[in-house]
């Protein structure tokens, strides 16, 4: 599979990548989910991993997090092989999975304390981190509320906030804005940029091309288990514009259509298929 690379990722240069996936293959019951994926994400980089449903995004993130094993190829976090030293990798990684993983009978504060302690944060640091994370995610006013009484969007805020708690070196976010309102999305994107500025590496999986454009950082397009293009949004878009005079779609949508054969319709972005609709 040919991967189109655009530009150099200058923030990774010379500082060593945080995440390196090299020729990663993963098959479930003889159905390939990942087909030789290569991906590098450096300190301070945000990589928007875009792809349609079933493209392999969750599988890729799970392997990066050390929760699943690649059949072939290697996954390294800060030089540690995923699979061999998974426990250590898990302590370096914050992973907000797609499914909510919060405790409904507990309050928001109790959830944050629980996960902070599981990650080894000591009391003073723990309380500071809980306060700043709650503030960043608009949770300060609901710290005393039981999660069971919160709206779905507020639960999602808490779920995603937990991944940020211990300032991980690698932050993996799997479709983190599902169910969030405009304010929730804005808070999240702000938090993502802030932790990138502090040096974290972030992989942000989404089937919303508009979100990848809004982040305006690196994009990796995953199609049927393979990364078919990687680069800055502007570089991908201008390279695509040079190869076609068709004006059926613009921006990242045009790149996505050309490389995957799928058109992106933002009006479907909230549907189960995301915004990716196969071409007729
Ligand atoms: P979505 O956007 O719908 O969440 P995705 O891009 O995250 O999709 P994956 O969840 O990684 O994609 O799935 C990739 C492929 O692997 C799909 O064909 C899916 O059916 C398959 N798959 C994922 N997990 C399993 C599993 N545990 N057992 C069997 N097949 C699986």
């Amino acid at each position: 599979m040919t991967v189109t690379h655009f530009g150099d990722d200058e923030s990774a240069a010379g500082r060593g990548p945080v995440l390196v996936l090299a020729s990663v293959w993963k098959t479930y019951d003889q159905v390939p989910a990942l087909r030789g994926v290569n991906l590098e994400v450096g300190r301070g980089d945000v990589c928007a991993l875009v792809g349609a449903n079933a493209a392999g995004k969750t599988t890729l993130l799970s392997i990066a997090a050390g929760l699943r094993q690649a059949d072939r190829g290697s996954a390294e976090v800060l030089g540690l092989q995923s699979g061999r030293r998974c426990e250590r990798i898990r302590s370096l990684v914050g992973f907000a999975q797609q499914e909510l993983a919060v405790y409904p009978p507990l309050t928001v504060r109790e959830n944050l304390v629980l996960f902070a302690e599981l990650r080894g944060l000591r009391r003073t640091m723990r309380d500071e981190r809980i306060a700043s994370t709650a503030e960043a995610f608009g949770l300060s006013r609901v710290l005393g509320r039981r999660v069971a009484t919160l709206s779905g969007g507020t639960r999602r805020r808490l779920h995603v906030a937990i991944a940020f708690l211990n300032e991980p070196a690698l932050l993996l976010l799997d479709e983190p804005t599902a169910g969030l309102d405009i304010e929730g999305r804005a808070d999240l994107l702000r938090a993502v940029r802030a932790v990138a500025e502090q040096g974290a590496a972030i992989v942000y999986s989404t089937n919303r091309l508009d979100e990848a454009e809004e982040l305006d950082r690196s994009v990796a397009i995953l199609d049927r288990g393979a990364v078919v293009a990687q680069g800055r949004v502007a570089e991908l878009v201008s390279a695509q514009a040079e190869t076609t005079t068709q004006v059926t779609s613009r921006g990242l949508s045009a790149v996505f259509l050309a490389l995957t054969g799928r058109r992106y319709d933002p009006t479907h972005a909230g549907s189960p298929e995301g915004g990716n609709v196969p071409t007729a």
Side-chain angles (χ1 to χ4, degrees):
M1 177 68 60
T2 311
V3 181
T4 317
H5 278 273
F6 297 94
D8 293 324
D9 205 332
E10 56 188 56
S11 57
R15 289 196 267 164
V18 174
L19 173 67
V20 180
L21 301 182
S23 305
V24 168
W25 286 78
K26 179 73 181 175
T27 298
Y28 299 105
D29 305 325
Q30 298 175 352
V31 178
L34 295 179
R35 298 179 294 128
V37 165
N38 295 304
L39 187 72
E40 281 196 12
V41 188
R43 294 173 215 274
D45 291 343
V46 184
C47 175
L49 181 67
V50 300
N53 289 148
K57 303 183 295 297
T58 298
T59 302
L60 188 158
L61 294 183
S62 306
I63 289 172
L67 297 180
R68 279 186 194 154
Q69 283 268 20
D71 298 335
R72 273 192 278 154
S74 71
E76 283 185 12
V77 178
L78 288 173
L80 300 169
Q81 281 280 344
S82 170
R84 282 206 209 130
R85 300 167 83 173
C86 283
E87 287 309 319
R88 177 82 183 106
I89 286 179
R90 275 177 221 164
S91 73
L92 297 168
V93 174
F95 186 12
Q97 303 194 51
Q98 240 174 75
E99 295 79 26
L100 292 186
V102 289
Y103 290 97
L106 302 184
T107 65
V108 169
R109 188 194 305 282
E110 286 165 345
N111 268 276
L112 290 167
V113 167
L114 176 68
F115 285 101
E117 288 184 346
L118 282 173
R119 291 187 190 153
L121 286 178
R122 290 174 183 275
R123 195 182 189 106
T124 317
M125 179 63 85
R126 182 197 81 185
D127 292 345
E128 270 173 31
R129 291 294 307 150
I130 287 175
S132 61
T133 307
E135 176 70 27
F137 284 87
L139 294 166
S140 304
R141 275 181 296 171
V142 293
L143 281 169
R145 291 264 302 270
R146 281 200 313 123
V147 170
T149 69
L150 299 175
S151 71
T154 310
R155 289 182 205 199
R156 171 71 58 183
R157 280 173 182 247
L158 171 62
H159 169 74
V160 175
I162 285 167
F164 285 69
L165 261 182
N166 62 330
E167 299 181 309
L170 176 65
L171 191 55
L172 304 169
L173 304 173
D174 198 355
E175 299 182 23
T177 55
L180 287 190
D181 60 13
I182 292 172
E183 208 179 307
R185 284 184 61 221
D187 284 347
L188 173 65
L189 296 185
R190 201 177 304 118
V192 165
R193 290 194 185 98
V195 294
E197 254 165 49
Q198 289 159 15
I202 297 139
V203 185
Y204 184 111
S205 144
T206 181
N207 51 27
R208 294 194 52 160
L209 299 182
D210 54 337
E211 243 168 55
E213 283 177 327
E214 201 176 331
L215 270 169
D216 196 20
R217 306 292 283 266
S218 174
V219 172
I221 297 179
L222 191 64
D223 184 41
R224 301 169 183 89
V227 175
V228 294
Q230 204 184 336
R232 302 286 297 212
V233 173
E235 291 159 351
L236 290 171
V237 169
S238 70
Q240 181 57 35
E242 281 168 20
T243 64
T244 179
T245 51
Q246 267 188 309
V247 201
T248 50
S249 53
R250 292 173 194 282
L252 213 43
S253 314
V255 180
F256 196 76
L257 172 60
L259 293 173
T260 70
R262 294 167 187 270
R263 76 187 155 77
Y264 177 76
D265 179 355
T267 60
H268 288 87
S271 76
E273 286 192 318
N276 306 307
V277 184
T279 41

